[in-house]
Amino acid sequence: MSPNNGSSPLFSRKLQLQTGNTSTIFKLSVVATAAILSQSAAAQNPANVEDADNSIELKDTYVRPDYVEIERMRDTKEIIVIPKEEIQGHGNRTISDVLKSVPGISVNASGPGDIDIRGQGQDQATRNIQVLLDGAPITTLINHPYSTNYDVIPVEQLERIEIIPGGGSVIYGSGTVGGVVNITSNLRSMKEPKSTAVAELNSDGFRLSGTVGAKLNDKFSILASANKLDRDLWFVNTYRNSEYYSAGLGWNLTDDQNLILRVSKLKEYSQYVNTASIRNIKKYGKDYVPADKTTLSIGPNGELIRSVKSGYLIGDRDMDTYNISYSNHINDKFDLTSDFFFVKGNFQNNNEDSDHVVYQETYGGKVKLDINYYDSHSLLVGLDVTKQTADLSYNDIASRKDNAGNRVWYHKPLSFYYDKKVYAGYLLNTLKFDQFVFTQGIRRELTEWGFDKLGNKVEGSDVGNRWNTALEVSGAWLYRDTGRIYARYERGFTLPDGQQITDMRRKASGERYYKPTDATDEKYDMFEIGLRDKLPWSTVNITLWMSKTDNQLNRFYINGISEAISANILETTRWGADVGLTQQFGKFTFTENYSWLRGYSDYNDWGRRFMEENRKNTIDFTRSGLVKVPQHSVSLQARYDFNENLSADVKYSFFGGYNNFLEDAAKQEDGTVGSYSLVDVSARWKPFKNFEVYGGVSNLLDKQYYEYVGSGNSAAYTYVNPGMGRTYFVGIRGTY
């Protein structure tokens, strides 16, 4: 653990935040554990096995019918599914930890907290992804000036994570060129509510989790949980602690109708160092402490007061979610499912001032009608309505002279408000003819993007409508029960994010103002072909893909820094391959996954004219490729089952080097961030049917590496975010 001085105010704050409601979580864990052990102490049966009828033939396309839209895509699209056994069995503390191990996905490389799928790179990853929790979109509306992450639910409460790499805009709308991350909690279906208890101690902290679930009768099921995670980060006196509570009620209205109510609350407290220079890390290592910062405030008589605050950043966060899901098997031809949601919260990541808080809300609904016609054809009709808002308001400090000529300081309110409404309808038709499957989809979407911004000597507000259409066609040949070849084309779109939706311009008088951007929505074309099969010696999953955007959005300053605009100046092409293999030989199971990414950007015709007119130096993007995108990533895993109750595994992960800048724009940097590899080991033992002891070591070789590398005017001043070192963990888990 990171050292702490018991008399320091930093330690006092941490201790205060740690105590909170730990006793509540501990009590719930004890109750759940007692219930589990009372049922398990006399039994020593083999480990539980997931119901076979819930899966299909290939592990990486394992899909349950909670989301009919994913079921419709599984024959003609790459879908990566991480079940709860994989999530909870390798010492993962957060969702980010889980995603880091998936080749083709970068976490924190393009920016702290960013998830990058299929090589979107710096400045693009944050808006080229869709993240959903139990069907509700939680994608951040605005990432500037403060960003957050998607570690919004403890791993103990996850049922699975489904990743749809690249595409899906007919179903999910804007921002899917990178992909979709669909996070499913144990509250989603509540078909088999279980009581669980988890207690883990590791060299970076601890976690406690208790869940009580039961079927009250044929009509009602309940599930409630409480979780606490305390985690020390890399630098001294840095931490990320969280508390999470959830509850759900399942109600079988009839044999064919089901209603699920879910509610959850996340509270997170953190103190961290966003980045540090390589020079400071070499000099101080983990004992580096950021320099104190001078802050300004206004006294009672209008005088300016200077005070000193800690240089650590604060990353506190609250998030409340409310969900209602309704399903109705109307008859053999019609199935209706719907999700209604309300998510609200706030965060203040990347900021040390307590009044700089971003408040966000999302609410809406998704309704889907699945129509089966003729023998095996189907039509999925969907309607999406969502509204998201983000609000950052705080007081700046300004001055003026009074009648006597004395300077008087005062608070000047600043506010940045964003409003995004989406109304969309879509159709996804699936035709099945013996060994062939064909899909055709279309989405029509209206987005109302609004803003009301009051900055320092600049303001503006407006609302604009943006219409978009997405299309897809695909086909698959199911040449045998376990084998298929598929091809897919998609035409999708990506909207500007909260920062890109406005331009800051200057009038002839010199007055600055905000206005809606003149930039158009990005359009992309995506092509994908794939092979999936289960051979006598291995499962095989191969996907080749390419995406092309002719009008990529970028944001930059003109006329010095007095004006900032968004413009479609680039065309970008990306391509790659994903390969997954699994073999089982006796008690050994081997899994190999590899991802390869390449691409480049260049100016489109309008972009070249624009750069020449604004007297900006052009950059040869083609010599640098994609920025902050590893070309290669590998995951190799071997598991040995000593018997039905004892197993161990070792995992090797390789993350390739990447270009850290646009070559002509930042020649002072070294240019390429080096590759690194990690080794993790873990073991699990089930002495009783529903009781498990697990443990292991993450980053066994204590490899020093950097997750994020930022620009600096020399190698010594390049800013980095170190990855976690060697971590030991041991825990117990009971389930009933």
Side-chain angles (χ1 to χ4, degrees), residues 314-449:
I314 302 300
D316 295 354
R317 173 168 59 174
D318 288 342
M319 180 174 170
D320 300 326
T321 64
Y322 306 87
N323 298 70
I324 300 176
S325 296
Y326 171 77
S327 61
N328 186 354
H329 178 64
I330 300 172
N331 53 43
D332 291 340
K333 297 295 184 181
F334 298 94
D335 285 278
L336 177 69
T337 59
S338 57
D339 290 288
F340 302 95
F341 43 83
F342 175 58
V343 182
K344 69 174 183 178
N346 61 78
F347 63 89
Q348 58 182 94
N349 289 357
N350 283 353
N351 180 56
E352 72 280 6
D353 295 322
S354 59
D355 63 337
H356 288 213
V357 180
V358 180
Y359 292 88
Q360 292 199 134
E361 284 191 0
T362 299
Y363 60 88
K366 295 176 177 285
V367 180
K368 293 161 284 191
L369 179 64
D370 190 26
I371 305 171
N372 297 292
Y373 61 96
Y374 294 114
D375 291 333
S376 55
H377 309 321
S378 64
L379 176 65
L380 182 63
V381 182
L383 176 66
D384 296 348
V385 178
T386 62
K387 178 179 178 179
Q388 288 182 277
T389 63
D391 184 12
L392 170 63
S393 301
Y394 59 94
N395 288 323
D396 197 7
I397 294 179
S399 66
R400 62 173 179 265
K401 289 186 178 181
D402 60 15
N403 296 332
N406 299 316
R407 185 173 295 277
V408 178
W409 300 88
Y410 65 97
H411 285 122
K412 181 178 181 180
L414 302 181
S415 62
F416 303 87
Y417 177 82
Y418 305 89
D419 183 299
K420 180 181 178 182
K421 302 183 185 72
V422 175
Y423 309 91
Y426 61 85
L427 302 172
L428 183 64
N429 189 51
T430 304
L431 304 175
K432 293 186 177 181
F433 303 99
D434 193 19
Q435 292 181 301
F436 295 93
V437 177
F438 302 96
T439 66
Q440 315 85 43
I442 183 171
R443 179 187 186 95
R444 186 62 171 163
E445 179 174 299
L446 167 64
T447 302
E448 294 181 1
W449 242 128

Side-chain angles (χ1 to χ4, degrees), residues 62 216 356 414 468 587:
Y62 163 93
L216 302 180
H356 288 213
L414 302 181
N468 281 285
K587 295 184 177 182

Side-chain angles (χ1 to χ4, degrees), residues 264-275:
S264 68
K265 183 175 187 62
L266 169 71
K267 291 185 69 67
E268 183 175 86
Y269 315 95
S270 68
Q271 181 168 274
Y272 67 103
V273 176
N274 193 19
T275 57

Side-chain angles (χ1 to χ4, degrees), residues 409-682:
W409 300 88
Y410 65 97
H411 285 122
K412 181 178 181 180
L414 302 181
S415 62
F416 303 87
Y417 177 82
Y418 305 89
D419 183 299
K420 180 181 178 182
K421 302 183 185 72
V422 175
Y423 309 91
Y426 61 85
L427 302 172
L428 183 64
N429 189 51
T430 304
L431 304 175
K432 293 186 177 181
F433 303 99
D434 193 19
Q435 292 181 301
F436 295 93
V437 177
F438 302 96
T439 66
Q440 315 85 43
I442 183 171
R443 179 187 186 95
R444 186 62 171 163
E445 179 174 299
L446 167 64
T447 302
E448 294 181 1
W449 242 128
F451 66 90
D452 189 349
K453 302 171 69 172
L454 175 61
N456 187 10
K457 297 181 180 180
V458 54
E459 61 182 287
S461 62
D462 209 331
V463 177
N465 295 336
R466 309 176 82 91
W467 285 94
N468 281 285
T469 302
L471 303 167
E472 72 167 68
V473 292
S474 64
W477 174 31
L478 284 61
Y479 56 87
R480 61 177 182 173
D481 290 343
T482 61
R484 67 202 61 184
I485 298 173
Y486 64 88
R488 188 171 183 276
Y489 166 75
E490 178 177 317
R491 173 74 167 180
F493 59 92
T494 302
L495 294 166
D497 62 22
Q499 184 184 20
Q500 293 173 333
I501 200 66
T502 62
D503 290 344
M504 183 174 66
R505 303 309 300 262
R506 183 183 291 275
K507 299 179 180 178
S509 62
E511 179 185 359
R512 295 186 302 166
Y513 65 100
Y514 291 116
K515 63 176 291 290
T517 182
D518 295 325
T520 60
D521 300 336
E522 284 184 5
K523 310 293 183 183
Y524 68 84
D525 297 292
M526 179 168 292
F527 305 87
E528 187 174 309
I529 59 174
L531 165 69
R532 296 204 300 267
D533 205 345
K534 187 175 182 180
L535 304 176
W537 54 274
S538 178
T539 62
V540 179
N541 299 270
I542 301 174
T543 304
L544 306 176
W545 60 271
M546 185 191 78
S547 67
K548 184 175 178 60
T549 301
D550 291 330
N551 63 336
Q552 179 176 301
L553 266 171
N554 289 81
R555 188 169 179 83
F556 47 88
Y557 290 103
I558 59 175
N559 298 326
I561 60 172
S562 62
E563 297 182 78
I565 67 169
S566 304
N568 308 92
I569 65 171
L570 297 179
E571 55 184 24
T572 300
T573 303
R574 300 174 177 88
W575 62 90
D578 301 321
V579 179
L581 306 171
T582 302
Q583 309 87 36
Q584 187 166 358
F585 302 104
K587 295 184 177 182
F588 282 100
T589 301
F590 300 99
T591 304
E592 306 88 23
N593 292 286
Y594 169 69
S595 180
W596 174 69
L597 287 167
R598 291 291 290 168
Y600 66 91
S601 296
D602 202 355
Y603 293 101
N604 53 35
D605 292 339
W606 188 91
R608 290 194 178 278
R609 291 196 303 270
F610 178 85
M611 297 295 283
E612 292 172 0
E613 291 171 1
N614 286 273
R615 299 179 180 178
K616 287 185 142 319
N617 295 326
T618 59
I619 299 170
D620 187 354
F621 292 94
T622 60
R623 291 200 292 150
S624 294
L626 303 174
V627 182
K628 292 183 175 18
V629 174
Q631 181 177 352
H632 305 280
S633 55
V634 179
S635 174
L636 306 176
Q637 183 173 331
R639 189 185 76 228
Y640 183 75
D641 297 314
F642 296 91
N643 53 49
E644 293 176 328
N645 301 317
L646 178 63
S647 64
D649 62 62
V650 57
K651 184 174 184 179
Y652 169 83
S653 302
F654 173 82
F655 304 86
Y658 58 84
N659 290 327
N660 192 41
F661 64 90
L662 302 175
E663 188 170 347
D664 290 354
K667 293 183 179 180
Q668 70 275 12
E669 295 188 37
D670 289 339
T672 302
V673 176
S675 60
Y676 64 92
S677 57
L678 303 175
V679 177
D680 304 324
V681 295
S682 62

